[in-house]
Amino acid sequence: MRSAADQLFELLGRRPESVSAVKPVDEGWEADVEVLELERVPETTSVMATYHVKLDEEGDLVAYERTRRYTRGQIDRRF
C-alpha cells in the first residue's frame, strides 16, 4: 500500500492521508485511499476525496478514480 500511495502522490501531486479499505481481487488488490485536496482553516472545513485504486499483483497502480469529495468534518450518514 505504501508503494501505491507513493504512485498516487506522483499522479495527483497530493499526499494520501489514509487507506480506508483494502481487498484482494483476482488481478491484485483494490483499495480506497483518502486524500487531502484543499487545505482550509479551520481544518474541519478542508476538502477531502476518496480515490478507488486498483493494483496489480506486484502492487503497481494500474487504475484510479475519485469516487467522493467531502469536508473533513463531515459525518457519513450511510447506515
Side-chain angles (χ1 to χ4, degrees), residues 42-48 70-77:
E43 189 176 286
T44 55
T45 63
S46 293
V47 178
M48 302 291 296
Y70 59 97
T71 57
R72 186 185 293 271
Q74 182 177 343
I75 295 171
D76 197 356
R77 299 199 185 276

Side-chain angles (χ1 to χ4, degrees), residues 1-9 12 14-23 29-37 48-55 61 63-70:
M1 287 315 309
R2 285 188 188 114
S3 173
D6 289 342
Q7 293 171 66
L8 191 59
F9 172 68
L12 300 176
R14 298 177 198 98
R15 176 90 32 214
E17 291 203 350
S18 65
V19 176
S20 56
V22 175
K23 72 176 180 177
W29 297 87
E30 290 184 1
D32 290 335
V33 180
E34 308 305 317
V35 176
L36 174 64
E37 291 214 325
M48 302 291 296
T50 301
Y51 284 85
H52 185 75
V53 298
K54 295 182 181 185
L55 312 167
L61 186 70
Y64 74 97
E65 69 176 311
R66 185 173 63 199
T67 58
R68 179 176 176 232
R69 288 185 86 191
Y70 59 97

